[in-house]
Amino acid sequence: MAAPGTPAPPAPVAPGGISGGGSRGPPDPLPEPKQLPELIRLKRDGGRLSEGDIRDFVRAVMDGTAQGAQIGAMLMAIRLQGMDLEETSALTQALAKSGQQLEWPEAWHPQLVDKHSTGGVGDKVSLVLAPALAACGCKVPMISGRGLGHTGGTLDKLESIPGFSVIQSPEQMQVLLEQVGCCIVGQSEKLVPADGILYAARDVTATVDSLPLVTASILSKKVVEGLSALVVDVKFGGAAVFPNQEQARELARALVGVGAGLGLRVAAALTAMDNPLGRNVGHTLEVEEALLCMDGAGPPDLRDLVTRLGGALLWLSGQTQAPAEGAARVAAALDDGSARGRFQQMLAAQGVEPGLARALCSGSPAQRRQLLPSAREQEELCAPADGTVELVRALPLALVLHELGAGRRRAGEPLRMGVGAELLVAVGQKLRRGTPWLRVHLDRPALSDPQRRALQGALVLSDRAPFAAPSPFAELVLPPSC
């Protein structure tokens, strides 16, 4: 078994991947590139796209010769027919090469780590983990995304903080890593721009859950970062892209396998997404809860996931001897205020007025709420019966909030940053009929009757005794060298 600090061994070359024995005579002429309709038809009918085909498609996306309808058609063909590991790797590389490659000082390499999530409800882990890892001595050049479907996006949450800029040049990113140790940025015209176009198209073409598209999208953003290690939080359950653990494991293995072939050490954590993560859902509400976690407090499920993912990264990159040791270091950064201090520095360095960044990070929860955008109205829902909270279904909650303006129905649509919901109860808690269990923040006078019914249907009560809620963390899929 290789030590976590050693590079992953090269992936085996698939048959036909290279020619053997040298070449004799003049090389064969390059084939004429296929037209886009031909490529779409090939994949639609279950054919295999060559590396050149995939490069041609991505080039057409970039130079504008691919029409929106053609991009959507290709995405749907891939969603329905799939891609093998070599096609997925070729797509990942083509997306990564569509923009600038990030280059860092050689001495940084063992410290360069990142985390990505496939998207969940209430998932604000990145907001906490990036500064916590920076406080542990890592460099975290996190290229993140916006909301997809009903799931929230890290960039959208950060943009709810007045002044925060997710657009940073590679040169600015290097300064951020030198001064702060972390940054959270979006895809710009320079960084993986082709994936930015496909990402927005997937959101509005019902192709969010395509395994090869998810794999290529995630890893293309990470390949350009020049990382030592990456952990991907792969969600499964009622509100996740993948409904069950087995499907999530399939994606995890694809991420680990394609990553190894690209020279990137990837581990994938499988985590449950039936309940929302934490107690708050919605952009500004999740920023508040992330800060609470960085106070050393907050919901136990959020803290558990932050420390486990961070511990795995510190171990994978060779900075600790075991994941548990890494988790303890991350927990210490939350408890001693050093993670929150890095978050404050990151906010100020990415455009937030320094006084506001300081007030947000040093203020009480009530003071923080006054500093962030808020919704005009609040409405509380009460428990319809006595019982123990067995489950709070995350999907209906997310769908209602999406309707209320927390999500997009078309690419580029503005969001209502203050819209969201606070869970007033925890899974496993005993609840009395008539007790408020949910507080909805909205910009309209009241919820509609269908919305109220959908939200009440999210609360699942049972007659069993109160219990401790289990951790959302299920398993960790490791690269072969581990």
Side-chain angles (χ1 to χ4, degrees), residues 380-387 424-425 430-438 456 459 461:
E380 290 187 352
L381 300 183
C382 297
D386 293 351
L424 307 178
V425 297
K430 198 74 174 176
L431 199 56
R432 291 284 184 188
R433 183 178 184 271
T435 304
W437 74 273
L438 184 71
Q456 289 288 31
L459 178 66
L461 300 174

Side-chain angles (χ1 to χ4, degrees), residues 47 121 138 146 179 188 196-197 213 226 230 247-248 299 317 341 409 478:
V121 179
C138 295
R146 300 195 178 278
Q179 295 180 350
S188 66
I197 297 168
L213 293 177
L230 167 70
Q247 286 176 299
S317 59
R409 286 165 293 188
L478 295 171

Side-chain angles (χ1 to χ4, degrees), residues 4 6 36 52 117 180 241 258 299 393:
T6 59
L36 272 180
S117 171
V180 182
V241 173
V258 172
R393 299 186 197 279

Side-chain angles (χ1 to χ4, degrees), residues 302-456:
L302 174 59
R303 179 185 171 97
D304 181 68
L305 205 50
V306 168
T307 55
R308 283 179 185 262
L309 296 177
L313 271 173
L314 290 174
W315 173 66
L316 273 176
S317 59
Q319 299 181 63
T320 62
Q321 296 298 308
E325 181 189 341
R329 283 184 58 186
V330 174
L334 299 177
D335 293 337
D336 66 14
S338 57
R340 189 179 62 239
R342 296 291 178 134
F343 187 70
Q344 179 181 329
Q345 292 174 43
M346 184 181 77
L347 294 185
Q350 290 192 234
V352 177
E353 195 276 317
L356 173 59
R358 185 168 54 253
L360 269 176
C361 292
S362 62
S364 68
Q367 290 169 330
R368 289 166 178 164
R369 181 154 294 184
Q370 299 300 313
L371 297 170
L372 294 170
S374 59
R376 293 197 297 267
E377 306 289 341
Q378 296 181 16
E379 182 173 336
E380 290 187 352
L381 300 183
C382 297
D386 293 351
T388 298
V389 180
E390 193 71 28
L391 175 69
V392 177
R393 299 186 197 279
L395 183 57
L397 177 61
L399 292 176
V400 170
L401 294 179
H402 194 281
E403 281 181 21
L404 294 172
R408 297 180 180 86
R409 286 165 293 188
R410 51 187 184 274
E413 186 175 24
L415 298 170
R416 295 183 180 274
M417 295 299 190
V419 166
E422 296 174 85
L423 292 175
L424 307 178
V425 297
V427 170
Q429 176 184 331
K430 198 74 174 176
L431 199 56
R432 291 284 184 188
R433 183 178 184 271
T435 304
W437 74 273
L438 184 71
R439 181 180 298 126
V440 183
H441 297 242
L442 66 168
D443 281 337
R444 60 179 66 173
L447 294 166
S448 69
D449 288 339
Q451 288 169 341
R452 205 172 284 114
R453 283 195 299 271
L455 291 174
Q456 289 288 31

Side-chain angles (χ1 to χ4, degrees), residues 35-53:
Q35 296 299 307
L36 272 180
E38 187 180 354
L39 291 178
I40 294 166
R41 187 182 304 113
L42 175 61
K43 179 47 70 178
R44 181 200 68 186
D45 294 343
R48 187 180 179 283
L49 298 175
S50 70
E51 186 177 345
D53 293 338

Side-chain angles (χ1 to χ4, degrees), residues 39-79:
L39 291 178
I40 294 166
R41 187 182 304 113
L42 175 61
K43 179 47 70 178
R44 181 200 68 186
D45 294 343
R48 187 180 179 283
L49 298 175
S50 70
E51 186 177 345
D53 293 338
I54 291 169
R55 279 200 308 267
D56 290 342
F57 169 66
V58 172
R59 189 178 298 116
V61 168
M62 282 300 299
D63 65 21
T65 56
Q67 300 171 25
Q70 291 174 317
I71 294 172
M74 179 61 89
L75 294 177
M76 186 58 73
I78 293 169
R79 165 65 180 80

